[in-house]
Amino acid sequence: MDFSPLMDVRSAGASFRIPPRSGPMLIIKQPNRVRPSPVNSQAAAFDYEGTVRSYSVMLQCCTSKRSVLEGKSVHARLLRSSVEPDVHLWDCLVNFYSKCSLVDYAYNVLDEMPRRDVVAWASLISGYVLENKGREGVRMVSEMRREGIQPNGFTLAAGLKASAICLNLSFGRQLHGEVIKLQFLSDLFVGSSLIDLYVKCGELELAEKLFFGLPQLSAVSWNVLLNGYAHVGDEKKVVSLYSQITDLETRLSKHTLSIVLKCCSRSGDARHGGAVHSLVIKIGLDIDEYLGCALVDMYSKSGLVDDAYRIFARIKACDVAVWSAMISCFDQQGFGVEAIELFRNMNHVGVKPNQFTLSTIASVASLIASEKFSASIHAFIVKSGFSMENTLGNAVINMYIESGSVRDGCMVFNELADRDTISWNALLSGFHSGPHCEEGLRIFREMLIENFKPNKYTFISILRSCTSLMAGSYGAQIHAHILKNNLDEDSYVGTALVDMYTSCGHVENALLVFDRMKERNVFSWTVIITGYAKTDQGEEAIRTYKQMQQEGIFPNEFTLASCLRACSDLAALDTGHQLHSQTIKSGHSDAYVSSALVDMYLKCGCIEDAEVVFDGSTSRDVVSWNTMICGFSQHGYGEKALELFHGMIDEGVKPDNITFIGVLSACGRAGLLDAAKKYFDSLERVYGISPTIEHYACMVDILGRAGRLDEVEIFINEMTLVPDASIWQTVLAACRMHGNIEFAERASQKLFKLDPLMDSTYILLANTYASSKRWNDVARIRIMMSSHGIKKEPGCSWIEISGHLHVFLSQDVSHPISKEIYSKLKELNREMVLSGYVPNTEYVLHDVSDGKKKENLQFHSERLALACGLILSKSRSLIRIFKNLRICGDCHNAMKIISNITNRKIIVRDVNRFHHFQNGSCSCQDYW
């Protein structure tokens, strides 16, 4: 065997020295050392052998006790004496220094030995192995072989361990050849060391092949092989190998069992873990702290808290590791109260917590989110004398942040002597939302200045801050950092980026990031779908949802809710029905999805279906109640809305400001002025809710609809909030309704100052002038609109029939069946006239002839949609029409008459509300 590449130091004629770590070099000088003379040889020989033996015994004793000072003292006495050490005493000296971690001294002793044997070399190599100095150990094996000394089993085992430490597979293979040549494969230590070498060097298949080729399998060899597969995360292989163990003593070795249980714990394999536990019980093996800790951890990771606690309760004397494992189990499974109680019991029985225990209890405190409890845990840590090293300090920071004590978290962060990236991430997590989000941006900049490298959790945190701040430009800069750190393809970072861009309205950028993501899970799909829904791109949201399904990704409750929101905006009832079926099949029937379903049915005009979903919901939160109350209000069922509000109060659900917007709107649409005043007065007095600008706008609308414009002006003057555009828009609409030009002009002047480009201001004012036939003023307003580049949105109506959408403008002739539609309207018009219908030309706000006005009314977009529905839909079926503007008064009257003539129910959703026409009447009771 060629060791020459590793032995070039001595071959050059140099004296090989390894400098000692501390103290002077220890060299044995022997100028006057001689053996006893032949005179009186019997007594002299007796004295010499006895003396040498006594030194050997003393050194062996010092070695076993690891008594360095005492051993050095023995060596010093030996140096001062005239006794020449024999080979055994030299070996004892080398062994003493090696075992006491003074391998540099041991080498110096070996260097002075007149005749070095394999025992001394084995001791020295073992010393280097104990000191984790693999390269030096390998070099010593080479030195020994150069001197022609044949290794024994101990030397080979030590050399193999040294090779494993420094991952020198090439040298280990050479030693493997020596092992085979010298027939040491049957040596248990050598065999185990060989397997350990191949395991450490990643040659697991070779290690396994060697293992099963050994003449004798030992518990140590099994554990080395099992540990190797466990280290690389191959838990299934560990379980498979464990099942091949036939020796019962090895199979039930606590160390072996611990390895297997840890693998079951990591993989969540409670079945095999339980089988191991059953074997332990069957044999009657005592569960000590070591094995108990592994069992507790295994059951904990599998979510079996009760089983974990039963194991814990059976252990007679639990050490801190077992207590910590059980506390961690409660923490991981969400049993915070139980974790705290166990921590108190642990202190009560006198077991002192370690840093892991305290980190876990700090994690529990973060879930409880109590500032007082967090402060008490921090105080306990300080009193216990634990230093705020990284792991514990980071846990305390996170505890304070999660409990809302951001300032205290910042103080702990500032006191940390040795911060790491996790520390910065814990601090950043306190600035995801709320009034101090901008601090998150500052902290991130400071982190970069101090040369800390952000990881993916850092970027996710700062992106969440950008999302809350709607800081798209800053988020784009963060995106650049992400690209530089090659984290753009990470699914979690990608999802955070998509969320940031969509929340800031940059859906195109979000889509670019989304398309580049290699792994797109349900969360990333949901974020992009939600982004489309929030930006009024409902068609894209539904298209993306279908694409997600094609790729085999199953939606969660948030995905379904976002898609339902898109259906609500589009009034896409057929797609909504499909999504409803999906929610039933998938079992996603929580309050969040139920509210989205109720909202979808309400906005599609299916109030009965909305009621069914609402009544069948098992968990109704305030959002669900608000959705239904506002839905009744929009559909003109004010009394039902108020009745539902009182039912909400009776069930103990506390109303919020949205609830009262629905209640006041219901009063306004039902003309319940006195009730509205009562509810408005109760807002702050009874429910402690400060009125918002929306509540004031509702009251202005109610008074305006009732024609009490003088009261409107007084009410606005007495408001505690400054009137905004919504207030003056409501005033202008009321003036349009009641023809109050003077107040309309004052309101419009306010609006021109607040938002000069708001198109509805010009349109409402022009319509107010047109109602009074002030055509010159109408022309003046239209010129103002043109000069500002403002265009009136054309009236548009649409109807969905058998999954197909039919869209119409006023006087539209582009539809494929336009002739049939116009013929149907003329036919209906004749029947309406026979029923007493007279066109109300006041609703045509153009200076044209009466004949032209009547023709315009007859072919408004909502009437074209109605005729299309009557032609293409099934007889007696419900007709739902949607319009982007307010339905005109004449069309409203016509719809009532047509519902009676055709015996069809007609629902029209305009920009403000729903109208249910049936048997010649409307749900709004003509108060709209």
Side-chain angles (χ1 to χ4, degrees), residues 489-510:
E489 293 181 353
D490 182 89
S491 61
Y492 294 102
V493 175
T495 302
L497 269 170
V498 171
D499 187 37
M500 183 276 295
Y501 278 128
T502 53
S503 298
C504 296
H506 305 310
V507 182
E508 298 82 4
N509 291 341

Side-chain angles (χ1 to χ4, degrees), residues 37 185 318 440 559 570 583 900:
S37 62
L185 269 179
C318 297
T559 323
L570 295 171
T583 62
N900 194 39

